[in-house]
Amino acid sequence: MGRRRSEAVTLGDVAKRAGVSIATASKAINDRGEVAAATRARVLRAAAELSFQPNVLAQGLVAGRTRAIGLLTDEFDGRFAIPILLGAEKALSDQEMSVLLCDTRGDAIRRNHYIRTLLARQVDGFIVVGDSNDVRTSLTADLPVPAVYVYCRSTNPADLCLVSDDEGGARLAIEHLIALRRKHIAHITGPQHYRAARDRVAAVHAVLAEHDLPLAGGQPLHGEWSQRWGRHAARLLVATAPEVDAIFCGNDQIASGVVQALTGLGRRVPDDVAIVGYDNWEIFAADCTPPLTTIDLNLQQLGTTAVAHLAAALSGSRAAGVVRQPCRLVVRESTA
Amino acid sequence: MGRRRSEAVTLGDVAKRAGVSIATASKAINDRGEVAAATRARVLRAAAELSFQPNVLAQGLVAGRTRAIGLLTDEFDGRFAIPILLGAEKALSDQEMSVLLCDTRGDAIRRNHYIRTLLARQVDGFIVVGDSNDVRTSLTADLPVPAVYVYCRSTNPADLCLVSDDEGGARLAIEHLIALRRKHIAHITGPQHYRAARDRVAAVHAVLAEHDLPLAGGQPLHGEWSQRWGRHAARLLVATAPEVDAIFCGNDQIASGVVQALTGLGRRVPDDVAIVGYDNWEIFAADCTPPLTTIDLNLQQLGTTAVAHLAAALSGSRAAGVVRQPCRLVVRESTA
DNA sequence: CTGGTGACCGAAAACGATTTCGACAATGCG
DNA sequence: CGCATTGTCGAAATCGTTTTCGGTCACCAG
């Protein structure tokens, strides 16, 4: 207990060792003021020898920036927050900034607590990672620092929200299938109460209409986001619309289940039926036989973009509105 | 730009507003020293009215603790780091501590950079999350603060390493199958170069020997950690050891593939062949038909335990050695 | 040789807190 | 009433650092 650091090496120690005053040492280390190159080198060497850690905290006091940002997430175990976090962390570390991670578990009390804690730590900004589905009540009014909302929408239109372009992703998928001359395209996806599912369905209808094609099965099949539902839905679909020659699935789990069921029914993928998944969740998309063509959400890029916007906001120019991050078609053998 | 906080409200402001000295205000807010209840209330109200943020940074200067820890991870996208992180984050937030997250991507340069950064931020301790497979070179010598290694082993036996008890987990699985009176138990698992795979194989052999049972198929089947390998291995196994009535799989992906293949071959699960997975990765274990009995690694608990040890180390009592976190058998229908 | 000009450096003030310690009033006790 | 005790409070010291500002010194032109 007691003193944490065995011998808290202070700027004074460095100065003494370098044979200069504390002031000069400070200037040398922070590259400020006028310090002769030789002196500066001596100070730096002394600092290195003592493995001096400038007390960022005290310096932050005056300098104003802590070079840390708070990342608030509602549902960290969800699959989507992680790549976003990863991208953000990478982008931040490129700018020598740190991430303070907080998972609210969807609990408002925890969230407020975290916000207080992070503010007490003087974070320079917030990244709020949400659940694409629901709308986040805006925190911006309570914050003295900028915030960027990622993978969710804020209630305040003046906030900046980065979301995945679901319409664009679905469009990519369907246009890919149409380019492969498939005429009977079906859509198996997740629960209708997911905004992402609804947006993609809208795009599916739009693109098919543009090409005068029907939706095989008449309407999209809504179920869970699971392999099981994929298997079930595929059997349903083959029974009711045997002419189906392509299926666009709401995620890779469903797609993986669909492939299993189709294979079980003797339909060949992609020869008889082409399959496109969604999310590019490697563990499902690449492990499937055949590997799945799918839509990559560029989640890591989303995190990176969020950091870029935050950095912009920190230097004064803040954007607003909903920004859609384009998706990317990843072609594998399930449509080859 | 400029001043970040509109008007940095200082303790002096609070004191003036409350009509007390700065010293009294400090004591009132930190609940230290002798302060009359009425005065204290007045100070607190003033602080609240000014929405005063105690400058944790400056206070950390003297008090010594920043109440933040650094979490270093090699491979964050791996599936294992996340639950550990989650557990650690939860435990830390219960103690009003924050997590600074750093992902080294297995790069030594990044790692050193992060360590410097975190030390500059005066973190109170480190949690190093590794890859169970390899041995981490110990950082402890370079750190003026305690460190706990999780899900990996350190080169320094004086370090504290928390790992999952692979032998124990495998033992649970096999004993469960034996209790179900299965006589022909096989083992399909991942690459032999994984320590976890080897440790579990050893335990499988040991437990079977204790019960005078053979390993169906003669030896464990090593392959990838994938559904595909599960399917392939299951077909192999049925061909070479048709009497098999139980399979212990190295993870839930493999198990899920095994179930698919067995079902395809007309074997019923669990009636003909009981299946036990590993990891309790819900997305595979629970979505499987039938849902998988599996071994839960208690990863979140691992994170919590790590924090507990770190807290202990912070208050002076540091432990050492390798601590094995017990696993837990989760029974679902694949052995029902 | 003299005066001026920079470059370089250090003493000291500031910063926003905590903590020590002495002052003071109220209270208890004989 | 006198004295000791207790409870409150604030002046001032302290922390590690940055920043201001004045001093010193070398060098150079005249």
Side-chain angles (χ1 to χ4, degrees):
Chain A
M1 352 194 27
R3 294 302 305 144
R4 179 159 105 271
R5 319 215 172 270
S6 29
E7 67 286 337
V9 38
T10 142
L11 187 56
D13 302 333
V14 176
K16 197 183 304 172
R17 183 175 187 106
V20 299
S21 77
I22 294 187
T24 306
S26 168
K27 282 181 271 194
I29 288 184
N30 296 35
D31 220 347
R32 206 176 308 269
E34 309 286 353
V35 163
T39 322
R40 178 150 180 275
R42 214 164 63 243
V43 172
L44 290 183
R45 187 152 41 79
E49 284 165 6
L50 295 174
S51 71
F52 166 71
Q53 294 293 347
N55 196 332
V56 173
L57 309 179
Q59 127 190 353
L61 250 182
V62 175
R65 288 279 159 77
T66 50
R67 305 201 68 76
I69 67 110
L71 196 143
L72 277 180
T73 151
D74 278 345
E75 205 46 65
F76 191 66
D77 34 350
R79 159 174 147 46
F80 300 103
I82 290 135
I84 295 174
L85 164 60
L86 226 54
E89 198 266 350
K90 179 168 160 51
L92 284 167
S93 80
D94 287 349
Q95 308 187 22
E96 306 259 334
M97 297 188 71
S98 305
V99 195
L100 281 157
L101 180 70
C102 296
D103 180 36
T104 66
R105 293 176 183 69
D107 178 359
I109 295 177
R110 284 186 80 89
R111 192 194 57 206
N112 289 335
H113 168 72
Y114 276 130
I115 291 178
R116 272 201 310 279
T117 308
L118 290 173
L119 284 179
R121 286 190 190 280
Q122 317 246 108
V123 293
D124 292 336
F126 281 82
I127 292 182
V128 181
V129 179
D131 171 346
S132 179
N133 198 35
D134 54 23
V135 175
R136 293 278 324 223
T137 59
S138 175
L139 306 172
T140 319
D142 304 332
L143 302 179
V145 291
V148 175
Y149 298 79
V150 184
Y151 208 67
C152 62
R153 284 159 171 83
S154 152
T155 47
N156 182 349
D159 291 337
L160 177 64
C161 308
L162 298 176
V163 299
S164 180
D165 183 9
D166 282 306
E167 289 91 344
R171 179 169 287 272
L172 278 177
I174 299 295
E175 284 176 346
H176 174 62
L177 290 172
I178 291 176
L180 294 172
R181 315 215 168 281
R182 304 291 165 148
K183 302 294 183 196
H184 306 281
I185 302 174
H187 184 36
I188 301 178
T189 187
Q192 200 155 10
H193 63 82
Y194 275 77
R195 167 197 285 270
R198 290 197 305 274
D199 288 353
R200 294 186 212 146
V201 163
V204 167
H205 279 130
V207 179
L208 287 177
E210 287 168 17
H211 291 79
D212 276 329
L213 286 174
L215 178 65
Q219 51 188 348
L221 281 76
H222 287 284
E224 308 163 2
W225 298 113
S226 69
Q227 282 193 327
R228 180 176 319 175
W229 161 242
R231 291 191 292 262
H232 183 67
R235 284 189 287 262
L236 265 179
L237 189 66
V238 168
T240 60
E243 75 282 11
V244 63
D245 59 5
I247 306 178
F248 170 41
C249 301
N251 74 359
D252 292 333
Q253 284 179 80
I254 294 178
S256 165
V258 165
V259 170
Q260 284 170 31
L262 289 178
T263 309
L265 292 169
R267 306 256 175 155
R268 291 166 305 165
V269 176
D271 308 81
D272 299 330
V273 186
I275 304 290
V276 177
Y278 210 97
D279 293 348
N280 194 22
W281 195 356
E282 298 271 344
I283 209 96
F284 285 102
D287 189 22
C288 194
T289 7
L292 292 172
T293 292
T294 187
I295 304 293
D296 191 303
L297 271 58
N298 285 331
L299 290 175
Q300 234 174 293
Q301 178 67 38
L302 208 57
T304 311
T305 309
V307 170
H309 279 289
L310 198 56
L314 284 177
S315 39
S317 68
R318 52 209 311 167
V322 174
V323 175
R324 287 185 173 70
Q325 169 88 20
C327 301
R328 187 166 54 92
L329 178 72
V330 178
V331 179
R332 295 202 186 86
E333 281 130 64
S334 72
T335 63
Chain B
M1 3 188 18
R3 293 298 307 145
R4 183 157 100 271
R5 317 221 170 266
S6 27
E7 67 283 341
V9 38
T10 144
L11 187 56
D13 302 334
V14 176
K16 197 183 304 173
R17 184 179 185 103
V20 297
S21 77
I22 294 187
T24 306
S26 167
K27 283 181 273 196
I29 287 183
N30 297 33
D31 220 347
R32 208 175 308 267
E34 308 287 355
V35 166
T39 321
R40 178 150 180 275
R42 213 165 64 243
V43 172
L44 290 183
R45 186 152 42 79
E49 286 166 5
L50 296 175
S51 70
F52 166 72
Q53 295 290 349
N55 197 333
V56 174
L57 310 179
Q59 127 189 350
L61 248 182
V62 175
R65 292 279 158 80
T66 50
R67 306 200 69 76
I69 68 111
L71 196 142
L72 277 179
T73 153
D74 278 345
E75 205 42 70
F76 192 67
D77 34 350
R79 155 172 150 48
F80 299 103
I82 290 134
I84 295 174
L85 164 60
L86 226 54
E89 199 267 349
K90 178 168 159 54
L92 284 167
S93 81
D94 288 347
Q95 306 186 26
E96 307 258 333
M97 297 188 72
S98 306
V99 195
L100 282 157
L101 180 71
C102 297
D103 180 38
T104 67
R105 292 177 184 69
D107 176 1
I109 295 178
R110 284 186 78 91
R111 191 194 57 205
N112 290 334
H113 168 73
Y114 276 131
I115 291 177
R116 272 202 310 281
T117 307
L118 290 173
L119 284 179
R121 285 189 191 281
Q122 316 247 105
V123 292
D124 293 335
F126 282 81
I127 293 183
V128 181
V129 180
D131 172 346
S132 179
N133 199 36
D134 53 26
V135 175
R136 292 282 320 223
T137 59
S138 174
L139 307 172
T140 319
D142 304 333
L143 302 179
V145 291
V148 175
Y149 297 78
V150 184
Y151 209 67
C152 61
R153 283 157 172 83
S154 152
T155 47
N156 183 348
D159 292 336
L160 177 63
C161 307
L162 298 176
V163 300
S164 181
D165 182 8
D166 282 306
E167 289 91 344
R171 180 168 287 272
L172 278 177
I174 300 293
E175 285 177 347
H176 174 62
L177 291 172
I178 292 176
L180 294 172
R181 316 213 167 285
R182 304 291 166 147
K183 302 293 181 196
H184 307 282
I185 302 174
H187 185 34
I188 301 177
T189 188
Q192 201 154 9
H193 63 83
Y194 276 77
R195 166 196 284 271
R198 290 196 306 274
D199 288 352
R200 292 186 213 147
V201 164
V204 166
H205 280 130
V207 178
L208 287 177
E210 287 168 18
H211 290 79
D212 276 328
L213 287 173
L215 178 65
Q219 52 187 347
L221 281 75
H222 287 284
E224 309 162 1
W225 298 114
S226 69
Q227 280 194 331
R228 181 177 318 174
W229 162 241
R231 290 191 292 262
H232 182 67
R235 283 189 288 263
L236 264 180
L237 189 67
V238 167
T240 61
E243 76 281 10
V244 62
D245 59 6
I247 306 178
F248 170 41
C249 302
N251 74 1
D252 292 333
Q253 283 178 82
I254 294 178
S256 164
V258 166
V259 169
Q260 284 169 33
L262 288 178
T263 308
L265 291 169
R267 305 256 176 156
R268 289 166 306 164
V269 177
D271 308 82
D272 299 330
V273 186
I275 304 292
V276 177
Y278 210 99
D279 293 348
N280 194 24
W281 194 356
E282 297 271 345
I283 211 97
F284 285 103
D287 189 22
C288 194
T289 6
L292 291 172
T293 292
T294 187
I295 305 293
D296 190 302
L297 271 56
N298 286 330
L299 290 176
Q300 229 171 300
Q301 178 68 37
L302 208 58
T304 311
T305 310
V307 170
H309 280 288
L310 198 56
L314 284 178
S315 38
S317 67
R318 52 208 313 168
V322 174
V323 175
R324 287 185 173 69
Q325 169 86 22
C327 300
R328 186 166 54 90
L329 178 72
V330 178
V331 179
R332 295 205 185 84
E333 281 129 64
S334 73
T335 64

